[in-house]
Every structure is written in structure tokens, then in C-alpha cells.
Amino acid sequence: MISNTTNIANGILGQLKSQEQEMLSFLKELVALESPSRNPESQHRILKFLEKELNGMGFYTMHVHGKKTGGYLYARPLKRDKRKPLQLMVGHCDTVWELDTLASMPLKDDGKTLSGPGVYDMKAGLTQIIFALKTLDKMDLSLPLTPIILINSDEEIGSRESKFAIARLSKISERAYIMEPPLGLEGKLKTARKGIGRFTITVKGKAAHAGLDPDKGASAILELSHQIQQLYAMNDFDKGITVNVGMVQGGVSPNVVAPESKAVVDVRVLNKKDGEEITKRILSLRPTMPEVEVHIEGRIGRPPMEHTKGNRMLWRLAKAKGSLLGLDLEEATAGGGSDGNTTSLYTATLDGLGTTGDGAHARHEHILLDEFPVRTALLALLILAETGDK
């Protein structure tokens, strides 16, 4: 006997498959609205486009402008039962691609994949939000939790202007769905993410003529080399701790003992405890040479998304709902961060709910077209799920 749950899942998927061309057209329009992270004007255009769409769906919207970015778009249903708890969907409209990238990396639809700048990371995910909600409305399915949406324009550069709004909404929501793309061609959902830290080490030395008075100088570059060795010694791959010196600069001329040098350090950790410990170790670094100063700034800006009780509940929910659609979902830990790192601090979070594909931040960026309606149906089923439903 086919259960009502299976009938609903089949109905949602069938409805979405009947709208594939409409979904694809919408996604192509989003990709055509190029929206680099550091170009507020372009972000205003795409957020206005999304705002108009959501208004037409019966949502109240509010576009909060940023100081250095396009800001973020908040949306909630105009008609809602205030007694119902909230569920949050988070996506970002900014991409790593500069304006006019489409000239050298045009949209290509070969019937199996859709490729282009931002299609995978993560304009497909934004399209899924729109069409999952449209489908549930068309099928007149009552939602147990009220959906609220936040679309920001600064995720690729750390969500510095939007993370406070994301945190506030997370605190009042029962769960959060993050529309980042899944991991790999297997489409693994992201149930944990590393925390990310950024540190800057500045060394002040003493200048001197490298030929006439080398002994009167104190090389900031030499001191920095000692500091870098200590930093790399902090790597612990078994524990998932990585410390990488990604940028180095210093000196004024080949014939001058360097008076100043600087390094920018990327740190990744799997849990809060390791983040606190590695931060303490880095901030405790001291000079190894006389007559130099070492100044260190930085912190773990995006704490880890860990395997909390709530996060595990959502993973089990997704696994069960995916099976109704013929998906044998797998989970994975992502080395990069997302806004899920923030929401996970305050509410149950599931990440990687976008469409399967490949090439985030790369010129072969694409999604698999046959996965597009299926992953949208998965989101719709998750939105429709009762609290604690399996």
C-alpha cells in the first residue's frame, strides 16, 4: 500500500518536473544578473528582482542596504499564523565572479548540465527556495512551520554585514535550511563545517644597509620566517586543524635589512574547543630575535558547524524524506564555511540543500539538470515536515 506521505512526495516531484522549463528560465535570469560580492549596485539589481518575485508570491519583504555591500533581503508570508514556529531558509546572491564574466564564461545548457558563473554557488539554491514554496502553495499544503527567508549579498566575503541578522533570525527559528550546493557529484549534504579563522602577524624590525651595516639591523623577514615555522608546527591533520600562511609581504629594497614584514594566516578547526586553543597559541607567539616586535591580530570569525543534537535530527529527517524521492543521501563535513556556521550556534541546521553539480569558484561551474527538480522537491518536503518528523 502506498502511504499518503509517498503520494505527497510524488505529487511534489511531479509538479516540479512539470515546471522544469520555468525553473530553468528563472535560474538563467538570476545568472544573467551578475552580482560580484564587492559590487553593491549589481547586488541591488538581483535583490530587487528576487523581491519582486517574492512579493508576487504573497510575501512581505524588506531590503536592508549594507554599508559596503548590497545588504540583505528578508521575506515572510503576509498572511501567517503567529502561533506557528518559524523555519529559516538562508541563501546568498553574491558570487566570486567579476562583472562581465559571462562574456568569457557564458551560460551553457547542453540538456544534461547548466554551466555559468554562480549557477552552482548558489543561484540554483535561490531558485529552489522560490519554486519549493510555489509548489507547496499550488498544492494547497498546510505548512506546520512558517517559512522566513534571508538572502544576503556578502556570504563569499564572510557575511560581515549580514551575520548579525542571520543570528537574530536563527534565535527565533526552530530550524534553518542552508541553500549552499551539496558536496561532490554524489550530492552529499553538509552536516558539519569547519570553523574559519583569519590572523595577521606583523613584525617590526630595524632597518640597516645590507652591505655597510648589516649587523646593525634586525630583519623583520628573518623573524617572520621563524614565526611561520611555529605556525606550521600547529597543524594537526588528524584533529582537522589546519594552519596555512597564505600571504607574505615585507621589506623595502634588496639592499636594506627589512624593517617590517607581514603574514596573513588561515586557520580551520572542527570544533569550538580546538578553535579556542589554536587562537590562544597563535596570540601567544613571541619574538625569537632581539630588537624586533611581533604584533598579532585575528580570531575565529566563523565558528564550526558541529554535530549537535538538532543538526543530527535534521539529517535523519532529510535522509528519510530523500528516500521518498529515490535519493540515497550521504552526509559530509565541509572544509569551508557558510552561513550555516552561524545558524548552527542557535538552531538546528542542515546545509548543502542546493542542486548537485561541481566547480564552485571554478570555470567549469555547473549543475546537473536532472537533479534540479529532485533537490527542489527535497527542500519542499523538509519545509512541509512536522517538528521531529522522521
Side-chain angles (χ1 to χ4, degrees), residues 179-374:
M179 300 311 300
E180 291 287 339
L183 196 62
L185 292 174
E186 303 88 354
K188 297 178 181 179
L189 300 190
K190 297 168 180 176
T191 56
R193 282 183 177 273
K194 285 190 174 183
I196 303 174
R198 185 65 52 84
F199 296 83
T200 300
I201 298 180
T202 304
V203 180
K204 303 284 187 180
K206 184 179 179 182
H209 195 290
L212 299 178
D213 301 302
D215 57 323
K216 295 182 179 179
S219 173
I221 289 177
L222 177 58
E223 175 60 41
L224 185 60
S225 71
H226 295 315
Q227 298 293 329
I228 289 172
Q229 291 180 63
Q230 293 184 71
L231 287 164
Y232 275 100
M234 297 179 191
N235 277 287
D236 189 335
F237 301 131
D238 290 338
K239 295 178 67 175
I241 299 170
T242 60
V243 181
N244 180 66
V245 180
M247 295 176 64
V248 172
Q249 65 184 63
V252 293
S253 175
N255 64 346
V256 177
V257 175
E260 185 171 325
S261 64
K262 181 179 295 186
V264 182
V265 186
D266 178 276
V267 175
R268 312 262 167 157
V269 294
L270 283 171
N271 57 67
K272 181 181 178 182
K273 181 180 178 182
D274 286 345
E276 292 172 348
E277 178 61 28
I278 204 72
T279 297
K280 182 179 178 180
R281 291 178 66 185
I282 292 173
L283 295 178
S284 297
L285 288 171
R286 296 292 180 265
T288 63
M289 297 165 46
E291 297 189 272
V292 299
E293 298 176 5
V294 175
H295 302 279
I296 305 170
E297 298 176 316
R299 60 189 178 89
I300 302 293
R302 270 187 169 154
M305 174 181 163
E306 300 188 46
H307 282 155
T308 65
K309 181 179 179 180
N311 293 358
R312 299 310 294 166
M313 180 273 293
L314 282 188
W315 159 244
R316 291 191 297 271
L317 179 64
K319 182 78 172 172
K321 298 304 180 184
S323 68
L324 298 173
L325 302 167
L327 292 172
D328 184 13
L329 292 172
E330 299 178 57
E331 62 176 316
T333 297
S338 81
D339 291 321
N341 292 56
T342 299
T343 62
S344 182
L345 295 173
Y346 308 106
T347 193
T349 297
L350 186 62
D351 201 339
L353 287 166
T355 295
T356 308
D358 195 20
H361 303 189
R363 295 192 70 82
H364 67 286
E365 180 174 0
H366 67 273
I367 62 166
L368 304 179
L369 290 176
D370 61 350
E371 289 279 319
F372 197 21
V374 181

Side-chain angles (χ1 to χ4, degrees), residues 69-249:
T69 72
Y72 61 85
L73 179 66
Y74 165 74
R76 61 160 173 78
L78 276 169
K79 297 179 180 179
R80 70 192 198 279
D81 184 344
K82 292 185 179 181
R83 295 169 298 178
K84 287 184 178 181
L86 303 176
Q87 55 184 328
L88 173 64
M89 283 171 279
V90 182
H92 66 86
C93 69
D94 62 317
T95 76
V96 299
W97 304 101
E98 295 301 322
L99 285 179
D100 300 322
T101 296
L102 281 167
S104 60
M105 187 181 163
L107 264 171
K108 292 182 180 178
D109 179 353
D110 64 9
K112 293 184 177 180
T113 65
L114 179 68
S115 58
V119 66
Y120 176 59
D121 187 15
M122 57 162 285
K123 292 179 178 180
L126 298 179
T127 305
Q128 288 171 246
I129 293 175
I130 298 295
F131 281 86
L133 291 170
K134 280 186 174 182
T135 296
L136 292 170
D137 184 61
K138 282 183 181 179
M139 295 179 68
D140 198 26
L141 293 169
S142 177
L143 306 185
L145 283 77
T146 299
I148 58 174
I149 302 164
L150 187 137
I151 301 170
N152 61 353
S153 64
D154 61 349
E155 193 277 340
E156 296 289 5
I157 52 175
S159 303
R160 293 183 180 180
E161 292 193 341
S162 62
K163 67 180 179 182
F164 301 106
I166 293 169
R168 285 198 302 272
L169 293 175
S170 300
K171 290 176 183 178
I172 61 172
S173 299
E174 193 154 306
R175 60 196 184 200
Y177 297 133
I178 313 300
M179 300 311 300
E180 291 287 339
L183 196 62
L185 292 174
E186 303 88 354
K188 297 178 181 179
L189 300 190
K190 297 168 180 176
T191 56
R193 282 183 177 273
K194 285 190 174 183
I196 303 174
R198 185 65 52 84
F199 296 83
T200 300
I201 298 180
T202 304
V203 180
K204 303 284 187 180
K206 184 179 179 182
H209 195 290
L212 299 178
D213 301 302
D215 57 323
K216 295 182 179 179
S219 173
I221 289 177
L222 177 58
E223 175 60 41
L224 185 60
S225 71
H226 295 315
Q227 298 293 329
I228 289 172
Q229 291 180 63
Q230 293 184 71
L231 287 164
Y232 275 100
M234 297 179 191
N235 277 287
D236 189 335
F237 301 131
D238 290 338
K239 295 178 67 175
I241 299 170
T242 60
V243 181
N244 180 66
V245 180
M247 295 176 64
V248 172
Q249 65 184 63

